[in-house]
C-alpha cells in the first residue's frame, strides 16, 4: 500500500496568493489572449509601414514617427503580457526593447543646427560653406561670385538665424506644431485651410526691431554701392533648397521690389514655406517643421533685356556633349513658369561654343521692370520679333559659364541667368541638374490580364507587390529548401520564416495558406519578393518544375513565361525611394522588421539574439504558446473544481473552464454543453471512431499490471492512475490525454485571425517494447506530416506544430486529430512489424486526410 500511495500521490497545487488555481490559470490565459492581440496589432502596423517601401504610397514624417511610437508602446505591452504568462521569466526584454528604441530615437533626433550669425550678411562675405546661414540658393550664389569670379548681382542675405528670431519673437513655432502635427496632406481641403491660416498668421506678425533695422541698413548699403536707390528681387533661399532637394518652384520670389516693401515681401517669402504645394512637397520628402527654415536673398534687380535658363547637359540626352539654353526677351521668369515658348539653343562643348541648333520662337509679349516697382507685360517690339533674343557671342559666353560651373561643382548644373540692357550677363542661380531617366522611358501600364496566356490561379492575397517568373519549386518538406535553385518560384502549402534562407534567389512566392501580416509575409516585403498567399490550392494546381509567371499586382499566376510582365517588372520607376523621408523609413524599419530568430529549435533562439522588434514578437509568440502548452500539468489543477465530461468515449476527462469553454452551471458536460471551438472539433473526431473495448477485469488484471511494473519506469506507471484534463475557453483548448501508458497533449487556438491560430501536439509513448513504440511514433509522424504539421521526433517523443491556418481548416485538422487519438489506441497491439504499420498509415491517410484536402 505504501508503494501504491507513492505511485498515485497527487502533486501539490500551484496557487498565487489569495487566488484559486482556476483564477491563476484564467489570469494566464487572459495574458495569452492579450499577447496574441498585441502581437497581431504590431504585425499589422509593421505590414502597413513595409507597404510604404514599395514607393507607391504617400506618407509623411508624422506618420512614420507616430507608427514607430505605437509599435514601441505595443512591444512594451507584449513584454508585459509575456512576463505575466511566464511568471516574470523574461524581464530581460525590457532593456533589449529600450536599446532598440534608443537607436530609433537617434534616427529621428536629427535636428538641423542653425548657427548664430548676423541677421543680414552681404553676398560678398558668403560661400558655399554658409548654407546653414544663408540657405542653399544664396550661399551657392556667393560661391559663384566669390570663388569662381563669375558676374552676379550685388545683394545680401537675411539669414536663417534671422528667421529663428522672427519665429521666436511671435511664438509661431508652437502655433505651427498645433496645426501641422496631425495634418493629412492627402486631404486637400484641410491642407488649403491650414496653409491659409499659417500664411495669415505670418503676414500679420511683426519683425523684431533689431531685424527690421538690420534689413534697412543692409538695403541702404546696397544703394550706396549702386550710387542710387534701387529696386531688388526678394528670393527664397530655404536651408535645404538647391541641395539634393531642389524645392524648385515651391517657394516665393518677388521681382523689382522697392526698398520700402522689402520687409513685407520678406514675410511673404517666409510664409511661402507653408503654401499647400510647399507643405505637400516638404512632408512627402520627410521634413518636419524643424527642418523648414527660410533664409532670404535680397539682390539688386537686373533690368533684363533677356533672360532664361541653361542646362550644362541636355536632360533628354545626358550622355550627349551638348549644352541647352532657353531664352526669352525681357525677364527670364517666363521661361521658368512656362508662360511663353522660349528660344532654344543647343551648343556643343567640342568645339566649345559651337551652336549646333537654333529654334527661334515667335514671342509676342514680354515682362519688363517699371521704375515704380511694378512688373509690366508688353508686346515684343517688331524689331525683335522672330529674331534671336541673345547674340551668338552671348550664347558662347553663357555656354562657357555653364562649363565652368559644371566643372567646379563636378555635376551637371541648372543655371538661371539674365542679360541687362547694357549687354552684361549675370548668373542668378546655379543648382544641381536632375537627369533622371524619366525623360527617356515612358510610364508603363500593366494590363489586368495578358491575352493569349493561360491563367492557372487568379485568387489569393498579395503580401508583396511585384512580378516574378521562373520554374515552380513545389516544397514538400522544409529540408528541401537546401536544394532550392536560383530564380525559381517557391510554391508551398504554408508560410515559414525559414524561407528567409532563399529570399536572395527566389523570384516569387506562392502559398496555399498564410497571412499578409505574418512573419514570412513581412520578410517578403523586406526582400521585395513578389508574394501571393492564401491561394488554397496552389500546390495542387501548380506542378513542380512548371514554368510560371506570378503577377502579384493583379493577383494572377500564368502558365509559362509572360515577357510583357517581366519587362514591366524591370521598367518600374520609383523616384520616391530617393527622398529623405523614404531613406528615414528604411533606416527605422531596419530596427523594426528584419527577422533574425527563425528556428525555435536553434540555440540562438533566445532573448539575447533579438536585434529588432520583429525578433521580440517572434520570440514572445513562440514562448507564449510554450507557456500555454505547459498549463495542462495536472499539478496545477488536480485539486481544482472541475467538470466531468460525458461524451460516450472511453476516456475519463475532467474539464477546467477558463473562460467561455462550457455552458454555465454544468456539473457533467455533454458535447452539447461544450462551447470551445477547438475542443468541439476534437470531440467530433473522437466520437466518430470505434474505440477498442476495455480488457476484462480478472483477478490478475490490475495486480498483473502492477506485477508488470517491474519492467516499466515508475514515472510511467504513475501516469496510468491519472485522468485526462482539458483546459478550455471559447477559442482555446489544452487537452492532456492519458491512455494507458501513453501520454499526449493537444493544444489549439481557433479564431478569426490567421496569425493566432495553431495546433501543437506532444506525444510520449510507453508500456511496450522499443520496436513497437518506434513504430507507433513513425505512424503518428507520417500522418501528422500528411496534415502539413512540422514534426520533430526524438526517440519515442513527438513534438509537432501547425500555424496560421483559418479557423475552418484548424477545426478540420483537430477533428482528424481526434480520430487519430482513437486510431492509435486501436492499434496498440497490432503494429507487430513495419509492413503492417505502413498499411495502417496508408489506410488512415486515405480515409481521413485526403478527402479533407480535396478542392471544392
Amino acid at each position: 500500500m505504501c508503494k501504491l500511495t507513492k505511485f498515485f500521490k497527487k502533486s501539490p497545487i500551484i496557487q498565487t496568493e489569495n487566488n484559486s488555481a482556476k483564477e491563476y490559470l484564467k489570469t494566464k490565459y487572459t495574458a495569452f489572449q492579450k499577447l496574441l492581440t498585441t502581437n497581431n496589432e504590431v504585425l499589422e502596423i509593421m505590414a502597413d509601414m513595409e507597404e510604404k517601401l514599395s514607393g507607391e504610397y504617400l506618407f509623411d514624417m508624422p506618420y512614420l514617427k507616430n507608427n514607430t511610437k505605437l509599435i514601441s508602446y505595443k512591444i512594451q505591452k507584449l513584454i508585459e503580457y509575456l512576463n505575466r504568462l511566464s511568471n516574470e521569466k523574461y524581464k530581460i526584454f525590457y532593456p533589449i526593447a529600450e536599446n532598440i528604441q534608443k537607436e530609433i530615437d537617434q534616427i529621428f533626433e536629427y535636428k538641423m543646427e542653425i548657427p548664430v550669425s548676423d541677421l543680414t550678411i552681404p553676398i560678398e562675405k558668403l560661400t558655399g560653406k554658409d548654407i546653414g546661414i544663408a540657405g542653399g540658393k544664396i550661399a551657392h550664389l556667393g560661391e559663384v561670385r566669390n570663388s569662381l569670379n563669375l558676374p552676379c548681382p550685388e545683394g545680401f542675405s537675411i539669414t536663417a538665424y534671422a528667421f529663428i528670431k522672427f519665429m521666436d519673437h511671435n511664438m509661431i513655432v508652437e502655433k505651427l506644431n498645433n496645426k501641422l502635427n496631425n495634418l493629412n496632406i492627402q486631404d486637400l481641403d484641410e491642407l488649403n485651410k491650414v496653409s491659409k491660416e499659417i500664411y495669415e498668421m505670418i503676414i500679420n506678425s511683426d519683425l523684431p526691431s533689431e531685424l527690421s533695422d538690420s534689413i534697412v541698413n543692409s538695403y541702404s548699403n546696397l544703394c550706396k554701392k549702386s550710387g542710387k536707390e534701387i529696386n531688388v528681387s526678394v528670393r527664397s533661399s530655404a536651408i535645404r533648397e538647391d541641395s539634393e532637394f531642389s524645392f524648385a518652384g515651391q517657394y516665393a520670389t518677388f521681382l523689382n521690389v522697392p526698398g520700402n516693401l522689402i520687409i513685407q515681401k520678406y514675410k511673404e517669402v517666409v510664409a511661402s514655406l507653408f503654401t499647400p504645394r510647399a507643405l505637400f512637397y516638404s512632408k512627402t520628402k520627410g521634413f518636419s517643421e524643424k527642418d523648414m527654415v527660410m533664409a532670404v536673398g535680397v539682390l539688386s534687380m537686373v533690368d533684363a533685356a533677356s533672360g532664361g535658363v541653361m542646362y550644362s547637359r541636355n536632360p533628354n540626352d545626358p550622355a550627349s556633349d551638348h549644352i541647352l539654353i532657353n531664352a526669352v526677351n525681357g525677364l527670364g521668369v517666363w521661361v521658368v513658369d512656362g508662360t511663353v515658348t522660349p528660344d532654344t539653343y543647343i551648343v556643343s562643348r567640342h568645339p566649345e561654343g559651337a551652336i549646333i541648333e537654333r529654334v527661334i520662337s515667335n514671342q509676342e509679349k514680354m515682362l519688363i521692370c517699371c521704375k515704380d516697382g511694378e512688373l509690366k507685360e508688353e508686346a515684343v517690339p517688331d524689331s525683335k520679333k522672330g529674331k534671336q533674343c541673345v547674340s551668338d557671342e552671348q550664347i558662347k559666353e553663357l555656354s562657357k559659364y555653364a562649363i565652368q560651373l559644371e566643372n567646379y561643382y563636378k555635376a551637371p548644373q541648372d543655371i538661371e541667368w539674365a542679360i541687362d540692357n547694357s549687354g552684361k550677363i549675370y548668373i542668378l542661380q546655379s543648382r544641381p541638374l536632375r537627369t533622371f531617366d524619366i525623360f527617356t522611358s515612358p510610364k508603363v501600364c500593366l494590363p489586368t490580364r495578358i491575352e493569349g496566356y493561360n491563367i492557372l490561379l487568379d485568387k489569393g492575397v498579395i503580401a508583396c507587390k511585384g512580378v516574378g517568373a521562373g520554374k515552380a519549386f513545389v516544397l514538400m518538406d522544409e529540408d528541401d529548401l537546401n536544394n532550392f535553385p536560383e530564380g525559381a518560384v517557391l510554391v508551398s502549402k504554408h508560410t515559414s520564416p525559414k524561407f528567409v534562407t532563399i529570399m536572395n534567389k527566389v523570384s516569387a512566392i506562392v502559398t496555399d495558406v498564410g497571412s499578409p501580416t505574418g512573419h514570412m509575409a513581412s520578410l517578403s516585403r523586406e526582400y521585395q519578393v513578389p508574394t501571393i498567399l492564401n491561394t488554397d490550392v496552389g500546390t495542387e494546381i501548380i506542378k513542380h518544375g512548371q514554368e510560371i509567371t506570378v503577377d502579384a499586382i493583379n493577383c494572377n499566376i500564368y502558365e509559362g513565361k509572360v515577357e510583357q510582365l517581366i519587362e514591366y517588372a524591370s521598367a518600374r520607376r520609383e523616384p520616391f525611394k530617393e527622398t529623405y523621408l523614404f531613406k528615414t523609413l528604411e533606416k527605422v524599419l531596419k530596427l523594426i522588421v528584419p527577422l533574425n530568430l527563425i528556428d525555435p529549435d536553434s540555440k540562438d533562439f533566445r532573448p539575447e539574439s533579438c536585434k529588432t522588434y520583429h525578433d521580440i514578437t517572434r520570440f514572445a509568440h513562440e514562448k507564449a504558446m510554450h507557456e500555454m502548452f505547459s498549463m495542462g500539468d495536472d499539478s496545477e489543477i488536480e485539486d481544482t473544481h472541475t467538470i466531468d465530461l460525458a461524451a460516450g468515449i472511453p476516456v475519463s476527462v475532467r474539464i477546467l473552464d477558463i473562460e467561455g469553454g462550457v455552458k454555465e452551471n454544468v456539473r457533467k458536460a455533454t458535447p452539447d454543453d461544450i462551447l470551445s471551438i477547438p475542443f468541439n472539433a476534437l470531440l467530433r473526431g473522437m466520437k466518430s471512431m470505434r474505440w477498442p473495448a476495455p480488457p476484462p477485469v480478472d483477478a490478475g488484471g490490475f495486480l498483473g499490471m502492477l506485477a508488470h511494473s517491474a519492467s516499466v519506469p515508475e514515472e510511467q506507471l504513475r501516469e496510468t492512475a491519472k485522468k485526462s484534463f482539458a483546459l478550455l475557453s471559447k477559442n482555446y483548448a489544452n487537452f492532456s490525454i492519458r491512455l494507458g501508458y501513453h501520454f499526449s497533449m493537444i493544444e489549439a487556438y481557433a479564431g478569426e485571425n490567421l496569425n493566432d491560430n495553431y495546433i501543437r501536439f506532444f506525444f510520449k509513448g510507453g508500456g511496450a517494447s522499443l520496436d513497437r513504440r518506434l513504430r507507433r511514433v513513425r505512424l503518428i509522424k507520417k500522418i501528422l506530416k500528411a496534415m502539413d504539421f512540422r514534426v520533430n521526433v526524438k526517440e519515442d517523443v513527438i513534438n509537432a506544430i501547425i500555424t496560421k491556418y483559418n479557423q475552418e481548416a484548424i477545426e478540420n485538422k483537430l477533428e482528424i486529430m481526434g480520430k487519430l487519438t482513437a486510431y492509435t489506441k486501436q492499434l496498440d497491439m497490432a503494429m507487430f512489424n513495419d509492413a503492417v504499420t505502413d498499411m495502417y498509415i496508408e489506410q488512415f491517410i486515405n480515409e481521413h486526410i485526403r478527402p479533407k484536402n480535396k478542392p471544392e
Side-chain angles (χ1 to χ4, degrees):
M1 289 298 294
C2 183
K3 270 194 172 179
L4 291 177
T5 303
K6 181 179 179 183
F7 285 155
F8 304 131
K9 184 178 180 182
K10 297 176 181 178
S11 302
I13 187 170
I14 296 176
Q15 293 182 329
T16 56
E17 187 177 353
N18 300 323
N19 275 313
S20 67
K22 180 176 180 179
E23 288 303 314
Y24 169 72
L25 295 176
K26 185 175 180 179
T27 299
K28 289 186 74 172
Y29 177 70
T30 300
F32 177 64
Q33 281 191 309
K34 289 182 176 180
L35 184 146
L36 290 180
T37 299
T38 305
N39 180 69
N40 288 326
E41 290 170 347
V42 170
L43 292 176
E44 286 171 5
I45 299 169
M46 283 170 50
D48 186 75
M49 294 177 73
E50 287 178 277
E51 192 175 47
K52 304 302 183 286
L53 284 174
S54 69
E56 298 177 5
Y57 301 91
L58 288 176
F59 65 96
D60 57 11
M61 192 62 77
Y63 163 87
L64 190 51
K65 288 183 176 179
N66 290 341
N67 276 281
T68 304
K69 189 181 298 182
L70 187 57
I71 287 178
S72 175
Y73 168 76
K74 290 187 179 295
I75 288 292
Q76 289 294 320
K77 300 303 291 184
L78 191 78
I79 296 169
E80 178 185 327
Y81 299 140
L82 179 61
N83 278 292
R84 285 189 203 172
L85 191 57
S86 65
N87 297 322
E88 306 298 327
K89 195 184 297 181
Y90 297 107
K91 287 185 175 181
I92 188 175
F93 273 116
Y94 288 113
I96 290 173
E98 185 179 345
N99 287 335
I100 293 172
Q101 187 56 45
K102 282 180 180 178
E103 290 187 64
I104 292 173
D105 288 342
Q106 286 175 358
I107 295 172
F108 286 130
E109 278 175 3
Y110 165 76
K111 183 180 179 182
M112 184 180 297
E113 295 295 333
I114 302 301
V116 175
S117 71
D118 292 342
L119 299 179
T120 58
I121 299 175
I123 195 170
E124 60 264 27
K125 293 185 178 180
L126 295 173
T127 70
K129 296 178 181 179
D130 296 318
I131 291 174
I133 294 174
K137 185 183 295 183
I138 299 303
H140 284 303
L141 194 62
E143 183 81 3
V144 170
R145 180 189 187 279
N146 301 317
S147 297
L148 276 77
N149 298 314
L150 296 183
C152 299
E154 295 290 345
F156 61 91
S157 167
I158 306 175
T159 63
Y161 183 63
F163 170 85
I164 299 299
K165 298 287 282 186
F166 170 57
M167 300 294 273
D168 288 347
H169 179 74
N170 294 281
M171 295 183 292
I172 292 174
V173 173
E174 292 81 356
K175 298 171 186 176
L176 281 177
N177 290 337
N178 293 334
K179 293 181 180 296
L180 296 179
N181 279 346
N182 298 312
L183 176 62
N184 179 5
I185 58 172
Q186 297 184 64
D187 184 340
L188 294 182
D189 290 336
E190 181 187 359
L191 188 63
N192 287 325
K193 176 177 175 292
V194 170
S195 172
K196 184 178 179 182
E197 290 172 356
I198 295 173
Y199 185 87
E200 291 177 351
M201 176 174 62
I202 292 173
I203 292 302
N204 294 322
S205 296
D206 294 325
L207 267 63
S209 57
E210 57 182 331
L211 176 55
S212 299
D213 292 344
S214 184
I215 293 172
V216 170
N217 290 336
S218 292
Y219 172 69
S220 177
N221 291 334
L222 190 60
C223 291
K224 287 178 183 177
K225 289 180 185 177
S226 301
K228 62 178 180 180
E229 190 169 310
I230 61 171
N231 290 350
V232 296
S233 63
V234 181
R235 302 170 68 91
S236 67
S237 186
I239 296 304
R240 293 189 178 275
E241 196 171 357
D242 288 355
S243 59
E244 68 269 32
F245 308 98
S246 70
F247 287 89
Q250 302 307 309
Y251 303 136
T253 285
F254 298 97
L255 303 179
N256 206 32
V257 177
N260 63 328
L261 292 180
I262 292 175
I263 288 175
Q264 178 63 26
K265 295 304 177 184
Y266 168 75
K267 290 193 290 184
E268 290 183 37
V269 172
V270 170
S272 71
L273 271 171
F274 307 100
T275 61
R277 69 173 185 266
L279 282 174
F280 190 88
Y281 183 94
S282 295
K283 283 186 166 288
T284 54
K285 296 294 183 183
F287 300 121
S288 67
E289 294 71 53
K290 294 177 182 178
D291 296 310
M292 299 167 74
V293 178
M294 179 66 78
V296 174
V298 178
L299 304 176
S300 299
M301 187 65 202
V302 177
D303 188 7
S306 59
V309 174
M310 62 178 169
Y311 296 154
S312 65
R313 296 276 173 179
N314 186 342
N316 293 293
D317 186 12
S320 71
D321 206 25
H322 301 156
I323 298 165
L324 182 66
I325 300 175
N326 286 151
V328 294
N329 289 294
L331 295 172
V333 64
W334 278 0
V335 173
V336 176
D337 62 21
T339 302
V340 299
T341 301
D343 291 357
T344 299
Y345 306 97
I346 297 178
V347 184
S348 174
R349 292 164 172 266
H350 302 97
E352 185 176 317
I355 302 171
I356 297 172
E357 185 177 351
R358 296 178 176 86
V359 179
I360 310 302
S361 68
N362 187 23
Q363 185 180 349
E364 296 288 340
K365 56 183 180 178
M366 62 182 185
L367 193 66
I368 62 170
C369 296
C370 298
K371 291 183 179 179
D372 59 4
E374 295 294 324
L375 297 177
K376 181 182 178 183
E377 181 182 313
E378 66 176 27
V380 175
D382 291 340
S383 60
K384 293 185 177 182
K385 282 184 180 180
K387 297 179 181 178
Q388 290 184 197
C389 56
V390 287
S391 68
D392 285 358
E393 284 303 313
Q394 289 170 334
I395 291 171
K396 290 179 181 180
E397 189 74 9
L398 284 169
S399 64
K400 176 181 161 186
Y401 292 160
I403 292 171
Q404 281 184 260
L405 287 164
E406 180 178 305
N407 289 341
Y408 183 80
Y409 285 110
K410 295 180 172 58
Q413 294 293 296
D414 172 354
I415 305 154
E416 187 178 337
W417 54 271
I419 301 176
D420 68 12
N421 287 308
S422 69
K424 183 177 180 180
I425 297 174
Y426 292 90
I427 301 299
L428 305 179
Q429 180 177 347
S430 185
R431 62 186 177 194
L433 172 66
R434 281 150 179 80
T435 56
F436 296 135
D437 56 357
I438 55 171
F439 293 106
T440 59
S441 179
K443 186 173 178 61
V444 180
C445 294
L446 182 66
T448 305
R449 295 204 172 197
I450 307 296
E451 295 297 326
Y453 289 90
N454 179 38
I455 291 182
L456 298 172
L457 279 170
D458 61 355
K459 64 177 182 177
V461 177
I462 295 172
C464 181
K465 287 187 175 183
V467 174
K471 289 185 177 180
F473 187 91
V474 181
L475 188 68
M476 304 307 295
D477 192 300
E478 286 184 356
D479 291 340
D480 295 335
L481 289 172
N482 296 329
N483 304 317
F484 190 88
E486 185 81 26
V489 176
L490 178 65
V491 182
S492 174
K493 287 185 177 180
H494 53 78
T495 62
S496 170
K498 290 185 179 180
F499 294 171
V500 70
T501 58
I502 50 97
M503 289 285 183
N504 61 327
K505 52 186 178 180
V506 66
S507 63
I509 296 175
V510 178
T511 70
D512 291 355
V513 297
S515 164
T517 58
H519 292 298
M520 196 224 72
S522 182
L523 289 168
S524 291
R525 288 186 290 270
E526 179 185 347
Y527 287 86
Q528 289 290 287
V529 176
T531 301
I532 299 178
L533 309 177
N534 233 17
T535 63
D536 289 338
V537 292
T539 54
E540 296 180 30
I541 300 296
I542 301 169
K543 306 305 178 187
H544 187 77
Q546 183 178 19
E547 192 86 32
I548 61 173
T549 300
V550 178
D551 174 5
I553 294 170
N554 295 304
C555 206
N556 294 323
I557 300 173
Y558 293 87
E559 185 177 15
K561 189 173 282 189
V562 184
E563 293 295 340
Q564 186 174 343
L565 291 177
I566 297 168
E567 289 172 5
Y568 167 82
S570 62
R572 291 182 66 192
R573 298 294 178 259
E574 296 166 330
F576 181 58
K577 290 190 173 183
E578 298 304 314
T579 65
Y580 169 73
L581 176 60
F582 193 88
K583 292 182 184 299
T584 303
L585 172 67
E586 287 181 317
K587 289 178 184 176
V588 169
L589 287 186
K590 283 180 181 177
L591 295 167
I592 293 176
V593 169
L595 188 60
N596 303 294
L597 300 191
I598 296 171
D599 185 1
D601 298 323
S602 167
K603 60 180 174 55
D604 292 325
F605 200 90
R606 55 198 179 98
E608 293 80 4
S609 298
C610 291
K611 307 300 181 187
T612 66
Y613 282 154
H614 200 170
D615 287 337
I616 295 176
T617 65
R618 177 80 172 99
F619 185 94
H621 190 270
E622 186 70 28
K623 293 305 177 183
M625 291 192 293
H626 175 79
E627 293 293 332
M628 292 300 292
F629 197 59
S630 67
M631 281 208 325
D633 292 343
D634 60 313
S635 61
E636 296 187 7
I637 63 174
E638 186 74 21
D639 290 339
T640 308
H641 173 69
T642 55
I643 302 167
D644 289 334
L645 176 67
I649 56 175
V651 183
S652 177
V653 181
R654 294 166 61 185
I655 297 171
L656 179 59
D657 180 21
I658 302 175
E659 188 175 60
V662 182
K663 289 180 181 177
E664 294 182 0
N665 303 318
V666 171
R667 293 187 177 182
K668 184 169 285 190
T670 67
D672 290 339
D673 297 320
I674 303 299
L675 302 178
S676 173
I677 293 169
F679 194 61
N680 246 326
L682 273 169
L683 281 182
R684 284 197 301 272
M686 295 174 76
K687 285 177 61 62
S688 70
M689 298 293 283
R690 180 177 62 83
W691 287 73
V697 179
D698 56 28
F702 186 67
L703 294 176
M705 182 194 77
L706 293 180
H708 174 66
S709 69
S711 64
V712 177
E714 180 180 307
E715 180 184 349
Q716 290 187 15
L717 185 57
R718 186 181 299 121
E719 295 296 327
T720 65
K722 295 181 178 179
K723 294 184 177 182
S724 298
F725 289 95
L727 309 182
L728 305 182
S729 77
K730 179 182 177 182
N731 299 105
Y732 176 78
N734 186 316
F735 188 26
S736 304
I737 314 167
R738 292 172 173 85
L739 297 171
Y741 297 113
H742 314 320
F743 170 74
S744 61
M745 184 182 287
I746 300 171
E747 182 195 34
Y749 193 97
E752 294 180 358
N753 195 309
L754 281 176
N755 287 332
D756 295 345
N757 296 341
Y758 68 93
I759 305 171
R760 291 190 69 161
F761 175 77
F762 174 87
F763 177 85
K764 175 71 171 74
S769 62
L770 179 61
D771 59 339
R772 286 178 183 264
R773 294 207 308 270
L774 293 180
R775 288 190 195 106
R776 186 186 300 114
V777 165
R778 185 164 66 85
L779 177 139
I780 295 172
K781 174 185 174 182
K782 290 281 189 181
I783 291 172
L784 289 174
K785 276 190 165 286
M787 294 168 63
D788 303 323
F789 274 79
R790 297 195 294 275
V791 184
N792 184 30
V793 175
K794 291 183 180 178
E795 297 182 348
D796 63 344
V797 175
I798 299 174
N799 273 293
I801 188 168
I802 194 167
T803 61
K804 293 180 173 57
Y805 278 72
N806 63 35
Q807 181 178 316
E808 182 182 1
I810 291 289
E811 290 185 67
N812 287 337
K813 291 180 186 298
L814 284 169
E815 189 171 334
I816 297 172
M817 296 289 288
K819 293 178 180 181
L820 181 61
T821 301
Y823 192 70
T824 53
K825 179 62 177 173
Q826 291 173 6
L827 304 179
D828 262 356
M829 304 302 294
M831 289 182 286
F832 51 82
N833 65 39
D834 290 343
V836 171
T837 302
D838 290 337
M839 180 188 72
Y840 284 128
I841 292 170
E842 187 69 20
Q843 180 187 57
F844 188 89
I845 290 173
N846 287 337
E847 291 181 7
H848 303 295
I849 296 178
R850 286 179 181 164
K852 292 288 183 184
N853 285 344
K854 286 182 180 178
E856 296 179 0

